[in-house]
Structure formats: structure tokens, C-alpha cells
Amino acid sequence: MATAPKVLLHGSGAIGTIYVYLLQKAGCHVTAVCRSNYEAATTKGFVIDSEMYGKGIRIRPKIVRTPSEAVEYGPYDYVIVCTKALPEAKTAETIAPAVTEGTTCIVLIQNGIGIEDEYAVRFPSNPLVSCVVYLPTTQVEPGRIEMANFELLEIGTFPASAYSSHNHIKEAADTLLAKLKEGGSNVTFYPDIQEKRWNKLLLNASWNPICALTLSRDVAFLASSAAGEKLVSDVMQEVVAISQALGYTAITPTMAEDQMTRATDRKGGKGIEPSMLVDVLNGRRMEVEFILGGPVKVAKSLGVDVPRMETLYALSKALDEATALRQPGKSLAGDEVVKHEQKPKLAEDGKNAAFRGHLERFQYSSSNNNAEGTSTTPRGVTRKRLLVDNGYDTKSATSPAPAEKRRQSSRYAPPSTYAHLPKLTDILEPNLICIFVGTNPGIRTATAGHAYAHPSNLFWKLLHSSGCTDVRLRPEDDVNLPLWYAMGNTNIVERPSKDASQLSKTEMAAGTPILEEKVRRYRPEAVCIVGKGIWEAVWRWRYKREIKKGEWKYGWQDDKERMGREEGSEWEGALVYVTTSTSGLSASTRPAEKEEVWRPFGEWVCGRRQERFGSEGRLVEDIVVSQVVSAVVEDDKAVA
């Protein structure tokens, strides 16, 4: 490369920040994607205290929140991924906006086996470099990194044969190697990097899960019983057996014994906290699948018996689920699939008292009700803007089947079941009045390519009857929501399914940080959650427990529950309003009750639209209303 390479580093935590420093030192133009440390990095940059490179090192790369934001600083020669290897994170898709097809080299500095597959499938024509890192470093506070006196990086292409068979891949790998060395990295190129991945698995597959499961550092576990050392050693020998079966004969039983000796030599000291233990202590997801799940699958395919690794995988997987979903002080209940909404018991007069109780909380104020109990308009952005139709499609929402219908639950279905259905794109633009959040696209919606497309779904009817729109729209009109009404649409889960029961609680909750990131990026005034189950999933992610009876309510949520809020930012986040599900499968509330929940939100949206744009109805007046209305009438006749 004739000019200094442009590098996007995705995941600027402790390890990522060190490589930002080394690459900048080598003259590269580096942009860093930051999440929790975004404000600190933007304001003060990064500070590194390293026993190897020096103390008080200050660096200030370009800082962005997402790869999408980084596009303006590209195109990039390298996108380096330093985030955790989690299948549900879909990192390949996340970095896609910053990847130029065929040219950008993707570099993975992550743990585990099989991490490259996701990227190889998503970017089949791009150079792919896989790395194994040994780097004791910690982010002690946002933007401040402490590092010991050791750094080792082992790199190679994926697949291994690509280095010799494709000149552009060889050039990309060689340039990266040269720049890292120039910056001061102890980096080495290997013809087959997979051997080095299995080598590191000696440590990752043994110490990581064992320390996480026992909440003990390595030396503390060894001191707990005489059986501890044998267990760790036996797991390492199982890794050796798989490696040998793969043809990596350099990974030997003696190598495993040497690793054990290094650990036993640390007895009497404070020991080491492996990454999985750190994750559990901080309530984060662990890299279970790539450190244990993948290797166990490889072992089975080779006919290698690994009973200890299988046991650790099963236990670690369960611990990972419990870390994400259990309530503090309680065990995991075992019903972590999306629950069916239960039909509330009606009073003798036919009215639902509990439901009426929720209605008292619908009107918004900073304390949920003002002294008179009347509605107060929340603070919002008043700057007028030009709305442009972005032509995007969006996704639909579905709700679980009601208990009263005694429907047979379809249960969980993996993503591959509906992988043939097309993906849907969010309808989002900056500074909208509100964004509607559904569960995920149903089969009818995914096929149609428009939001809430099933004829039995009440979304478009409720949008009109509540006052959010002044005419009844069709699913095909979803792309016009930003232009006509300053509203948008997204879902908490991207993939389609028959209904919500085919999603797991884990993936529902895992959609929350993705949703939060969207809200941070587009900054709507409010987020409207279309269904109780979605808000329960958000709650599980935020508080690591189920929502309690006294905490649940329809309508405006407390100010502390704003979405997209980021510490240190001037923006306070988007207000949250929770409505009933609009799915035809959700019969736990009657249509009239649904309208009663939706109406306060529609009135607020209408008021905000008038304040911001001087319009109670549409923002664009040249809609052929008669065509829209007549089409809706015909649709209703067809349904009837």
C-alpha cells in the first residue's frame, strides 16, 4: 500500500486500545468504535499505563459509536474486530457498512475455534486474517488501560491456503504484519493459524470454564481440593487428543503438562482471573460456544471422546443462561421461553379492574402523573427538519397465542428454520417523534416485505384510531411513516418466525443492547413498545431478573427507563411508552381495551407533531387520501 493504511478497530476495550496505540505508532490512520467508554474516549482520549511500552501514554484516535458512523472516515484497508466472540452478536453484519467488498481485510483478534466462519460467509471475496493474542491488560475505568509487560500476537490467513493462492490476501497480511512490528508488537505470522488456536485452547477450554463455574482464580481452585489439578490436566489432555486427530502433532501431552506447571508455580500468589470468570463476576455473557461448544462438535465429528469438555460445556451454557436471565437471589425458573399472555379475570360487570388500574398511569409526566392527574407533554426536540422518504422496508411484530385459545405452542425454532425468508430493513431516520418496536417479523410480514402485514394484525387500525395517523394506512405505506408522520419502525429480534413462542427468552433479551444502540443513533423523542413481552425482555436484560407485579404498567414508563441514554451525554434518552400487542393471536385484551391503551400515546404524538411542525395530521399534504382509504376498505372486505 502506497499510503498509510486506514484501520477501523471495532471493540476498543483493553486489548483493542493497545492495538489502536501500536497501529497509530506505525503511522496508520485509526478510527476506534467505542461503546461504554465512548464519552470518556471522545472527551479525553485513551490513557495507557504499560509496563512494556511506558506509563501515561495518551492517544486520541477518531472515535465513533458504530461502524456505520465510521463510514465517513473510510474506505478502510483493515477492519479489526476485538469484541467477544458471541454468535448472537452477529458482528459480521455489524461491521458490514465499513467493509468494502473484495478489498477491506478483516482481522479477528478473538478467542475460540470456528470464529472465522461467520465472516467468511458474509464476506467471501475479502481477505480474512485470524489472530491469537496473549496480552494481560485491563480497562480499569473508561478510557484508562493498564497493561503488564507482555504482548504476543500470532496471525495467519483464513483459510491457510489463501496466503499462497491470492496475491491481494498475501499483500494485506504482509502489510499488517509489517505495520504491527513497526508499532512495537511481538507479532509472528504462521502458515496455519488454526494450530495456534488449538494451542491456546489448552488454557481457554480448561481454566476459563472451571474458574467461572467455581468463582475462583486458578490457584484458588487448585488449593480447594486434591482433585482440582487432575481435572484441569485431564481437560487439557482432551484438547491435545482433538488437536492430534486434526493433524496438529506439535500440540503434545508434554505441552499440556508444561501449562499445568506454570499454574502450579503460581501457588501462594493471587492467581489469574480468566476472561470467563471476569464475565460472570460482571454479569456479562461468556464465549461458551467458541471456546467449548465448537471444540466439542469437532471432537464428535472426529470420534474423539471428550467427556470432561462436554460436561464443562453443558454447565457453562447453563451458567451463561442463568447469568443473563435469573433474578438476583433466585435460581433460574426453567420457563425461559416467551410466556403466553394470560387472559385477566373479568369482574362481574364485565370490566377488567386490573386493566383499568393500568390506565391511570398512561398520562406522562416526570413522575408519571401530575397533581391533577392530567397529561403533561414531555420534553422533546423542537427543531424542525426536512423529512425524506428513505425507501426502506421494515419489520412486523407478533405476539404469543392467548392461553384461552389453548393453541398448541410451536416452541423454539432455530434461525435456520426460516432462513429462506428475506430480511427486513428498519424504517428509521434521525430525530423522529417516535419509533415503534415490535417483536420480530412474522412469516406473512417477511414474505410481504412490509410491517404488520397479516390481515388480523390491528397495528394500522390502532395507529389510526389512536390519532397517530389521520388516515388508516396499509402495510405497503410503512415506508412513508417518516416522511408523512415523523414516525419509524423496528423490532427487538431481527429474524422471522411463525410466532413469538419460537423465539427464546435469551435472544429476546439480547436484542435490547442492539435496540438501545439504534435509539442512541437516531435519537427519537419516544419509543413505543408494541407488546408487554417486549418490555419484559428489555427488563430482563437491564436488571437480570423478571419484572415484578408492582413494577409493570402499560403507558408511560418512569424517566429512569428512557432508552438510548448514555452516561455523560447531553441527550437524556428517549421516553418509553408500552402498549398492548396488536397481533391477532393476542386476545388477552379486547379491542376496546387496546384502543384505550393506545389513545394517550396517539394524543401525545399528535400534540408533538403540531408543536414541531405545525401539523396535527400529515407533514406532507399531497397524499392521495382517497386511494389509501379505498384500498383499506377493500382489504377489510377481503378479511371479512
Side-chain angles (χ1 to χ4, degrees):
M1 297 176 187
T3 59
K6 283 189 176 182
V7 179
L8 177 65
L9 199 140
H10 180 65
S12 300
I15 289 176
T17 301
I18 298 301
Y19 289 105
V20 169
Y21 164 65
L22 296 178
L23 288 166
Q24 278 196 326
K25 191 178 174 184
C28 298
H29 302 294
V30 183
T31 300
V33 177
C34 299
R35 294 288 296 273
S36 60
N37 57 0
Y38 174 83
E39 292 299 332
T42 303
T43 305
K44 302 177 182 178
F46 295 98
V47 178
I48 300 173
D49 290 323
S50 169
E51 295 179 20
M52 184 172 182
Y53 302 119
K55 301 294 179 69
I57 299 170
R58 294 184 176 274
I59 57 173
R60 295 186 70 93
K62 291 185 180 71
I63 304 294
V64 295
R65 282 191 175 94
T66 66
S68 296
E69 289 184 16
V71 170
E72 65 177 294
Y73 302 118
Y76 294 98
D77 300 297
Y78 298 91
V79 173
I80 301 179
V81 178
C82 286
T83 57
K84 284 189 175 297
L86 302 172
E88 63 270 21
K90 299 181 180 178
T91 307
E93 199 61 44
T94 301
I95 66 171
V99 176
T100 303
E101 183 179 355
T103 59
T104 302
C105 180
I106 299 161
V107 183
L108 308 179
I109 304 180
Q110 296 177 301
N111 285 325
I113 301 299
I115 65 166
E116 302 89 356
D117 296 344
E118 173 187 356
Y119 303 88
V121 170
R122 181 62 179 81
F123 309 108
S125 63
N126 288 72
L128 182 54
V129 173
S130 185
C131 307
V132 178
V133 65
Y134 298 86
L135 179 57
T137 183
T138 304
Q139 185 168 219
V140 294
E141 61 183 65
R144 191 172 192 91
I145 312 298
E146 289 185 356
M147 174 188 164
N149 61 351
F150 183 77
E151 181 269 343
L152 174 63
L153 189 65
E154 301 169 331
I155 74 172
T157 60
F158 183 89
S161 60
Y163 183 80
S164 56
S165 59
H166 296 82
N167 288 333
H168 72 294
I169 296 178
K170 181 180 186 301
E171 181 184 357
D174 288 346
T175 301
L176 177 66
L177 183 71
K179 286 297 178 183
L180 286 167
K181 285 184 176 179
E182 184 180 342
S185 171
N186 181 21
V187 59
T188 305
F189 179 85
Y190 288 91
D192 189 352
I193 191 62
Q194 297 307 313
E195 180 174 342
K196 294 301 177 181
R197 288 201 165 276
W198 284 96
N199 189 8
K200 190 177 181 183
L201 204 69
L202 290 171
L203 300 174
N204 282 341
S206 55
W207 285 119
N208 261 296
I210 288 172
C211 290
L213 289 163
T214 60
L215 299 180
S216 302
R217 296 189 181 203
D218 53 357
V219 295
F221 175 73
L222 291 176
S224 65
S225 72
E229 184 174 334
K230 184 178 186 304
L231 174 59
V232 177
S233 180
D234 287 347
V235 174
M236 288 185 179
Q237 295 300 339
E238 289 183 353
V239 174
V240 171
I242 305 172
S243 303
Q244 294 271 335
L246 287 169
Y248 298 131
T249 55
I251 302 175
T252 63
T254 302
M255 187 178 291
E257 293 168 6
D258 290 342
Q259 292 289 2
M260 272 303 306
T261 300
R262 293 177 186 176
T264 55
D265 286 346
R266 289 195 294 270
K267 286 183 178 180
K270 289 187 176 180
I272 293 174
E273 286 186 334
S275 61
M276 277 190 181
L277 173 58
V278 175
D279 289 337
V280 171
L281 294 175
N282 288 278
R284 298 191 297 252
R285 303 308 298 260
M286 302 182 294
E287 297 171 300
V288 178
E289 288 301 330
F290 291 113
I291 289 179
L292 285 169
V296 166
K297 289 179 182 178
V298 172
K300 286 184 176 180
S301 70
L302 296 170
V304 177
D305 191 24
V306 289
R308 295 163 190 83
M309 289 178 66
E310 287 182 344
T311 300
L312 289 178
Y313 172 61
L315 294 175
S316 298
K317 188 72 173 176
L319 174 61
D320 199 40
E321 295 288 306
T323 299
L325 301 175
R326 75 179 183 87
Q327 299 181 33
K330 294 185 178 181
S331 58
L332 200 60
D335 60 349
E336 274 60 45
V337 295
V338 177
K339 294 178 179 177
H340 293 319
E341 295 180 16
Q342 299 298 315
K343 183 176 177 64
K345 185 178 180 180
L346 300 180
E348 291 182 0
D349 62 357
K351 293 184 178 181
N352 185 339
F355 180 86
R356 296 291 178 186
H358 287 316
L359 293 178
E360 297 175 0
R361 306 179 183 181
F362 289 163
Q363 305 301 335
Y364 175 84
S365 74
S366 60
S367 60
N368 234 33
N369 284 293
N370 61 17
E372 290 78 23
T374 57
S375 66
T376 59
T377 303
R379 289 168 291 181
V381 180
T382 58
R383 177 175 60 83
K384 194 167 184 177
R385 68 182 184 88
L386 176 65
L387 288 171
V388 181
D389 185 358
N390 63 9
Y392 287 165
D393 289 340
T394 190
K395 298 173 266 188
S396 74
T398 57
S399 279
E404 66 176 20
K405 289 189 178 182
R406 303 300 180 192
R407 290 174 55 87
Q408 178 70 29
S409 173
S410 53
R411 304 284 181 186
Y412 175 78
S416 58
T417 305
Y418 302 104
H420 61 285
L421 294 176
K423 289 186 177 181
L424 297 166
T425 305
D426 295 332
I427 296 179
L428 297 174
E429 288 186 5
N431 301 324
L432 297 173
I433 290 174
C434 69
I435 291 174
F436 294 96
V437 179
T439 306
N440 74 315
I443 295 175
R444 179 69 173 268
T445 290
T447 303
H450 295 287
Y452 306 98
H454 197 284
S456 68
N457 198 291
L458 299 176
F459 178 81
W460 300 106
K461 287 184 179 180
L462 289 167
L463 213 61
H464 179 215
S465 65
S466 67
C468 286
T469 63
D470 65 332
V471 295
R472 167 81 181 285
L473 301 180
R474 304 160 298 174
E476 298 94 311
D477 300 314
D478 58 359
V479 295
N480 295 313
L481 281 174
L483 177 65
W484 293 354
Y485 296 102
M487 301 189 300
N489 232 323
T490 187
N491 290 288
I492 194 168
V493 175
E494 179 186 52
R495 72 179 180 94
S497 68
K498 180 181 178 182
D499 53 47
S501 69
Q502 293 191 322
L503 307 176
S504 69
K505 262 190 175 181
T506 301
E507 65 182 316
M508 283 280 288
T512 300
I514 300 172
L515 176 61
E516 294 270 17
E517 182 60 36
K518 291 178 184 178
V519 176
R520 269 192 293 273
R521 178 181 179 187
Y522 292 101
R523 297 194 173 190
E525 291 189 44
V527 171
C528 183
I529 304 293
V530 186
K532 179 182 178 182
I534 304 170
W535 187 240
E536 289 175 331
V538 171
W539 195 277
R540 281 194 297 274
W541 178 270
R542 286 182 170 182
Y543 301 108
K544 310 304 179 189
R545 62 175 175 82
E546 300 291 340
I547 191 169
K548 297 177 182 178
K549 184 177 181 181
E551 296 167 328
W552 158 249
K553 58 187 176 185
Y554 281 119
W556 291 110
Q557 304 301 303
D558 296 341
D559 259 16
K560 66 178 182 178
E561 301 300 343
R562 287 173 178 257
M563 297 206 75
R565 188 199 305 264
E566 193 162 35
E567 190 173 344
S569 173
E570 293 181 1
W571 188 60
E572 297 180 344
L575 299 162
V576 176
Y577 191 98
V578 179
T579 66
T580 61
S581 169
T582 61
S583 170
L585 297 176
S586 177
S588 58
T589 50
R590 293 172 296 180
E593 294 171 334
K594 292 178 187 284
E595 289 188 358
E596 207 163 354
V597 176
W598 275 78
R599 191 173 300 115
F601 186 72
E603 292 172 353
W604 176 81
V605 168
C606 190
R608 288 300 300 131
R609 197 154 48 225
Q610 184 174 17
E611 290 177 19
R612 288 178 59 177
F613 308 105
S615 171
E616 294 185 28
R618 300 181 304 280
L619 305 184
V620 178
E621 297 300 329
D622 60 352
I623 304 175
V624 185
V625 178
S626 60
Q627 292 182 4
V628 174
V629 173
S630 63
V632 169
V633 170
E634 292 302 316
D635 287 347
D636 286 346
K637 288 180 179 178
V639 173

